[in-house]
Amino acid sequence: IRTEVTAMRELVEIMAKALVDNPDQLEVSEIAGSDTLVIELKAAKEDMGKIIGKKGHNAQAMRTILNAASRKLNKRVVLEIIDQ
């Protein structure tokens, strides 16, 4: 299950890198619980708008993709976008 958790983190990282201007400043970490996985995403201040998108559409799309991918894990995956 550890590799699947890492795969979820990498999925978020790939999606976020495609959106931002400063991919080297992205930080993605995971906190695994018994039935919930929290993935924290931190980006440069100037990239936060790109990650979130208009009316939160980009963030919601990333959460939808994560939700679909997490079905295989039988875990709930939560994407936290952290403002630095």
Side-chain angles (χ1 to χ4, degrees), residues 16-80:
K17 280 183 179 180
L19 295 171
V20 298
D21 291 332
N22 304 307
D24 52 314
Q25 292 186 28
L26 277 177
E27 288 179 44
V28 182
S29 58
E30 76 268 350
I31 303 163
S34 57
D35 48 338
T36 304
L37 172 64
V38 178
I39 297 179
E40 294 181 338
L41 173 62
K42 296 178 189 172
K45 269 229 183 291
E46 58 271 13
D47 286 332
M48 287 307 288
K50 292 178 179 122
I51 296 265
I52 295 168
K54 276 191 180 170
K55 297 183 181 177
H57 287 158
N58 288 350
Q60 190 57 49
M62 286 198 287
R63 287 185 175 112
T64 300
I65 291 168
L66 269 179
N67 196 0
S70 71
R71 297 276 183 225
K72 189 188 253 186
L73 295 176
N74 291 325
K75 278 190 174 227
R76 184 169 168 260
V77 178
V78 178
L79 176 62
E80 297 267 330

